[in-house]
Amino acid sequence: MSSTASLDLKSHLAGLFETALKLVAPEARGTSVTVERPKQTSHGDYASNVAMQVAKQVRRNPREVATALIAQLPDSPWVERVEIAGAGFINVFLRPTAKQDVVRRVLTEGAAFGRGTFGLNRKVQVEFVSANPTGPLHVGHGRGAAYGASLANVLEAAGFDVAREYYVNDAGRQMDILCISVWVRYLEMCGEDVPFPPNGYQGDYVRTRATELKAIDGGRLSRPAREVLDGLPAAPEGDEAAVEARMDALIERARTLLGPAFEHLSRIVLDRQLDGIRDVLTRFGVTFDMWYSERSLYDSGRVAEALAALDAAGHLYTQDGARWFRSTAFGDDKDRVVQRENGLYTYFASDIAYHHDKLQRGFELVIDVWGADHHGYIPRVKAAIAALGCDPAQLQVPLIQLVALYRGGEQVRMGKRSGSYVTLEELMDEVGVDATRYFYLARKSDQHLDFDLDLAKSQSNDNPVYYIQYAHARVASVLQQWGGDPGDLAGADLAPLDSPAEMQIMQRLIDFPDAVEAAARDLAPHGIAFYLKELAAEFHSYYNGTRFLVDEETVKLARLALAVAVQRVLKNGLALLGVSAPEKM
């Protein structure tokens, strides 16, 4: 029998039951045997319901089947005893050596401990954040960034070939509105009196872009106010349609007055906005393999190609001068316009082309991380994927719920267009990157998050990220007092690790690879946050009641080896979340 350094205990135990099942119930051949961790430690280290699974098929009482299975279980050096519980559960209790050996495994594998092959190297793309470059990233975007980046880390650790992508919405009216907002501020700086449009972007960043534009071009893009305003439709206060019509007219006026320089203006504004977004995300520990331009879909003809493919398959029709996608044939609640009567494509058309392109790039799984308000958009995108001849199950869309910030028990109000939102950068400035990343991941992504700023900044056991990092730092402190070489601990005699607390911690270490796989399977990196908090709690309790640097050398080295194994798993888990593992607090 090999060491547990190369042994997956769950797979090993499942194999034992499969062998016994062939002898006890050969007619149940092919039954998938599952082995899980029971919720209560009194129910053993692992449990299986295989007896209840096959009882009906073999026409025997489940407890009778369980008794027969136990009698035929092959011997294992890792199993101490097996018991029947309840209606026919089989509980397995491990020998201490099975748990002790995980310490050696962690110390030997180091940063690789927890990584697995569940993903089978399948190509998966995670597209996340993808915020319109019309403003700075706010705290809502931050939650999507933390989730997407950590999910990508978890998937990679579980054996997937992961690509991280940001979809840049650099086409369409919203970018034009941003350019006009910057241009009007620029005109102000050039001495022209052009009223700022009420539906323009009003944050301080707009003035920053205008200042940059003037530094680059001087007054070259300035035009007299009378030429800018001449003949523009009126926009009475409160008349939303008139306000929007005036903005459209102002966009066309800018295009006419600036000519080719309008594209120059757009490129400068977009590039500087993206630079700012990249800088903030880099500071947040979030990077991408590709920044994919929406505009490139139009320039390359991919939008027209995707619609042509749908048309050739009979999924488009014309009505009232517009082209429609018959998405109801694929489960959507109504058909969707893809090209308006004026010939312009809809946003949905470019989304169809983008997802078509993703699948053509060979991704077996495409994960789009969207805000919860986009829930209704999922069926139509899946419908388009199906209509293009692909499997809609290849697209999975985790949803990110809203974030509410609280300071002193009071909610911090936000409102994007007015410029009064709280940016991700401001949040990091106040509570730090580590707390921001962890707090975003402390709840399931589809649950509303109340972010307590005071708690995130506190250095107390109530702050979960501080609590976990403190466990890591405590081990570093013990090692410093010891003064030996941690690299030597992999060869320590682990037999002294036999107390209930030590057994519980070692079982928790054994569970880490399963936690990573479960987080990948369920697209739920918050599971890693929960796991780390539980491991830290068990270690703190053990630390508070245990002396490490005792006189007896064998006991001392065994306890230090366990502590270093805990430290390593904490570090590996925190890395998946994008949180640092400090040596000192």
Side-chain angles (χ1 to χ4, degrees), residues 145-180:
Y147 172 85
S150 297
L151 175 61
N153 292 342
V154 164
L155 290 169
E156 215 161 50
F160 288 89
D161 179 5
V162 181
R164 298 157 173 84
E165 188 155 305
Y166 188 116
Y167 181 56
V168 181
N169 299 108
D170 54 359
R173 185 169 181 267
Q174 292 306 311
M175 272 305 301
D176 288 341
I177 292 175
L178 176 63
C179 289
I180 290 301

Side-chain angles (χ1 to χ4, degrees), residues 371-404:
D373 57 333
H374 286 78
H375 180 270
Y377 206 72
I378 299 173
R380 72 186 75 168
V381 177
K382 282 184 172 285
I385 289 172
L388 288 165
C390 300
D391 182 358
Q394 286 180 270
L395 171 66
Q396 295 193 37
V397 185
L399 297 174
I400 307 297
Q401 265 294 356
L402 298 174
V403 179

Side-chain angles (χ1 to χ4, degrees), residues 176-190 204-223 254 258 260-273:
D176 288 341
I177 292 175
L178 176 63
C179 289
I180 290 301
S181 303
V182 172
W183 189 51
V184 171
R185 294 300 187 202
Y186 163 86
L187 292 175
E188 290 176 6
M189 294 175 186
C190 293
D204 290 341
Y205 68 96
V206 175
R207 294 185 184 276
T208 300
R209 297 290 90 85
T211 301
E212 293 166 347
L213 186 65
K214 194 165 190 304
I216 293 169
D217 287 296
R220 189 171 67 87
L221 300 182
S222 181
R223 298 293 183 271
L258 294 177
F262 186 85
E263 285 303 312
H264 168 73
L265 165 66
S266 299
R267 178 51 54 190
I268 289 176
V269 172
L270 175 64
D271 286 349
R272 292 305 173 93
Q273 285 293 105

Side-chain angles (χ1 to χ4, degrees), residues 494-540:
L494 303 172
L497 300 176
D498 58 4
S499 72
E502 289 162 341
M503 288 293 163
Q504 179 64 22
I505 291 174
M506 290 184 289
Q507 181 61 60
R508 187 73 65 187
L509 298 180
I510 291 171
D511 292 341
F512 182 59
D514 288 340
V516 174
E517 182 177 315
R521 183 179 60 249
D522 300 334
L523 308 185
H526 73 276
I528 302 299
F530 289 176
Y531 170 89
L532 293 174
K533 188 176 179 182
E534 290 171 347
L535 176 59
E538 287 168 0
F539 180 75
H540 281 306

Side-chain angles (χ1 to χ4, degrees), residues 85-108:
F89 283 101
I90 302 176
N91 296 336
V92 180
F93 295 80
L94 299 177
R95 295 182 188 275
T97 50
K99 296 187 177 185
Q100 290 160 354
D101 222 44
V102 74
V103 174
R104 204 174 323 279
R105 180 180 173 189
V106 174
L107 298 182
T108 301

Side-chain angles (χ1 to χ4, degrees), residues 61-75:
N61 180 282
R63 287 185 66 91
E64 183 183 334
V65 176
T67 301
L69 286 172
I70 290 174
Q72 295 294 341
L73 275 180
D75 289 336

Side-chain angles (χ1 to χ4, degrees), residues 187-490:
L187 292 175
E188 290 176 6
M189 294 175 186
C190 293
E192 299 296 334
D193 186 14
V194 177
F196 192 84
N199 55 341
Y201 289 98
Q202 303 186 37
D204 290 341
Y205 68 96
V206 175
R207 294 185 184 276
T208 300
R209 297 290 90 85
T211 301
E212 293 166 347
L213 186 65
K214 194 165 190 304
I216 293 169
D217 287 296
R220 189 171 67 87
L221 300 182
S222 181
R223 298 293 183 271
R226 65 179 183 279
E227 294 183 13
V228 175
L229 300 172
D230 184 40
L232 290 184
E237 186 176 348
D239 188 338
E240 188 173 334
V243 169
E244 296 299 332
R246 183 178 173 89
M247 174 60 78
D248 289 337
L250 188 54
I251 292 170
E252 288 308 308
R253 179 62 49 81
R255 289 184 183 277
T256 300
L257 292 177
L258 294 177
F262 186 85
E263 285 303 312
H264 168 73
L265 165 66
S266 299
R267 178 51 54 190
I268 289 176
V269 172
L270 175 64
D271 286 349
R272 292 305 173 93
Q273 285 293 105
L274 289 178
D275 286 345
I277 289 171
R278 283 193 190 93
D279 289 346
V280 171
L281 289 174
T282 298
R283 178 184 168 194
F284 198 43
V286 176
T287 57
F288 293 90
D289 300 301
M290 177 175 284
W291 294 69
Y292 194 106
S293 163
E294 179 188 5
R295 181 177 292 191
S296 73
L297 290 168
Y298 294 100
D299 295 343
S300 65
R302 287 191 182 92
V303 175
E305 289 171 12
L307 296 190
L310 289 175
D311 199 20
H315 301 310
L316 296 188
Y317 63 91
T318 301
Q319 182 177 304
D320 300 327
R323 296 175 82 196
W324 294 71
F325 167 47
R326 194 175 282 105
S327 56
T328 50
F330 300 91
D332 197 6
D333 59 345
K334 63 181 180 179
D335 293 345
R336 307 290 175 174
V337 177
V338 291
Q339 191 172 20
R340 299 185 180 92
E341 56 272 19
N342 61 6
L344 294 178
Y345 293 114
T346 62
Y347 284 118
F348 183 43
S350 58
D351 284 337
I352 292 172
Y354 180 43
H355 286 84
H356 189 217
D357 179 72
K358 290 185 183 194
L359 297 173
Q360 286 183 321
R361 281 186 270 161
F363 294 113
E364 298 174 64
L365 177 63
V366 169
I367 299 172
D368 291 356
V369 180
W370 291 352
D373 57 333
H374 286 78
H375 180 270
Y377 206 72
I378 299 173
R380 72 186 75 168
V381 177
K382 282 184 172 285
I385 289 172
L388 288 165
C390 300
D391 182 358
Q394 286 180 270
L395 171 66
Q396 295 193 37
V397 185
L399 297 174
I400 307 297
Q401 265 294 356
L402 298 174
V403 179
L405 298 181
Y406 284 84
R407 183 186 291 112
E410 298 290 328
Q411 186 172 350
V412 180
R413 298 292 174 183
M414 296 179 289
K416 184 176 180 184
R417 268 286 178 90
S418 68
S420 64
Y421 49 77
V422 176
T423 67
L424 174 58
E425 191 167 25
E426 289 169 333
L427 181 59
M428 288 190 286
D429 286 343
E430 180 161 350
V431 306
V433 172
D434 287 342
T436 303
R437 288 284 296 247
Y438 187 91
F439 271 63
Y440 275 139
L441 296 164
R443 292 178 69 85
K444 289 182 64 176
S445 65
D446 60 359
Q447 294 179 348
H448 185 86
L449 176 65
D450 290 339
F451 195 119
D452 187 332
L453 296 168
D454 300 316
L455 179 60
K457 289 186 289 185
S458 70
Q459 295 189 356
S460 72
N461 290 342
D462 293 329
N463 180 351
V465 68
Y466 177 86
Y467 190 61
I468 295 165
Q469 289 178 320
Y470 185 42
H472 184 275
R474 271 184 147 175
V475 178
S477 176
V478 170
L479 292 176
Q480 187 176 28
Q481 294 174 51
W482 171 50
D485 182 359
D488 295 337
L489 295 173

